[in-house]
Amino acid sequence: QKCDLAEKRTQVVFGIGNPNSPIMIIGEGPGEQEDKTGIPFVGKAGQLLDKILESANLIRDRDIYIANVVKCRPPGNRTPLQDEIAACSVFLQKQLELSQAFIILLAGSTALKALIDPNASITRQRGEWIEWKGKWVMPVFHPSYLLRNQSKEVGSPKWLMWQDIKKVKQKFDELQNDKK
């Protein structure tokens, strides 16, 4: 109840998945389906995210922990305001602290700006590895953006996401082998 978003939410959408997983995905905030269920990424964007992960042999419940920048749904699914992001930042920071993840995917511009740089551009930085607080971070397109851009042609957002998820799988395999 740290900000006005708490007034209209159905429930808090904190996070889901294996807290000891090697990969953490951070999205923007809950949508309508997430607000109803209390689980992040369960709507159409979440279904697409699952398909993307499965294409790289990554399983949500085993390999992934999912959180959002804000824990309550913004009205009309608008982008969270800076004071809303700030109010939830203590929760996200604790999730990051407790996480065993060594790879963090920032799904969309809001997550990138909230964690790395408020002036960052998702279109310029997506697909690039950033070393951050001892972890490997990659900004990627949000699955909802991919739903609005259906083309799979070379250079399209979906094609670029496929390139990004291959890099994630490669880094995941590299780091898993280093741990052995």
Side-chain angles (χ1 to χ4, degrees), residues 1-167:
Q1 306 214 346
K2 289 178 160 263
C3 77
D4 293 341
L5 292 180
E7 292 174 17
K8 302 226 189 243
R9 72 171 182 235
T10 302
Q11 55 189 315
V12 173
V13 181
F14 191 72
I16 194 162
N18 177 358
N20 299 315
S21 64
I23 300 173
M24 183 175 186
I25 298 173
I26 301 172
E28 178 177 291
E32 182 178 5
Q33 290 302 311
E34 292 78 8
D35 185 50
K36 287 179 183 175
T37 64
I39 302 169
F41 282 99
V42 293
K44 289 182 181 181
Q47 292 165 16
L48 177 57
L49 177 63
D50 288 346
K51 287 179 185 176
I52 291 165
L53 294 170
E54 288 168 9
S55 75
N57 198 29
L58 298 169
I59 308 301
R60 181 195 277 241
D61 295 337
R62 179 190 69 200
D63 302 316
I64 312 292
Y65 181 79
I66 301 175
N68 281 308
V69 172
V70 296
K71 310 306 182 195
C72 300
R73 180 181 184 215
N77 285 347
R78 67 160 166 72
T79 302
L81 304 175
Q82 193 55 47
D83 64 322
E84 296 162 347
I85 292 170
C88 271
S89 68
V90 65
F91 302 116
L92 182 57
Q93 290 305 319
K94 192 52 125 175
Q95 286 174 297
L96 285 161
E97 244 177 70
L98 296 173
S99 169
Q100 300 297 309
F102 45 84
I103 294 174
I104 298 173
L105 301 181
L106 302 176
S109 182
T110 300
L112 173 61
K113 289 178 179 194
L115 264 72
I116 303 298
D117 178 358
N119 298 311
S121 164
I122 191 71
T123 54
R124 281 194 297 267
Q125 290 193 266
R126 60 124 291 276
E128 293 179 14
W129 286 113
I130 302 166
E131 280 190 76
W132 180 76
K133 297 186 178 185
K135 299 180 186 289
W136 289 98
V137 175
M138 180 184 285
V140 296
F141 289 132
H142 195 286
S144 63
Y145 177 72
L146 300 176
L147 288 171
R148 295 188 303 270
N149 295 276
Q150 290 294 321
S151 173
K152 295 179 183 176
E153 291 181 29
V154 173
S156 70
K158 278 192 172 181
W159 183 85
L160 292 169
M161 181 62 152
W162 173 240
Q163 304 313 305
D164 296 346
I165 202 66
K166 289 193 296 188
K167 288 182 195 175

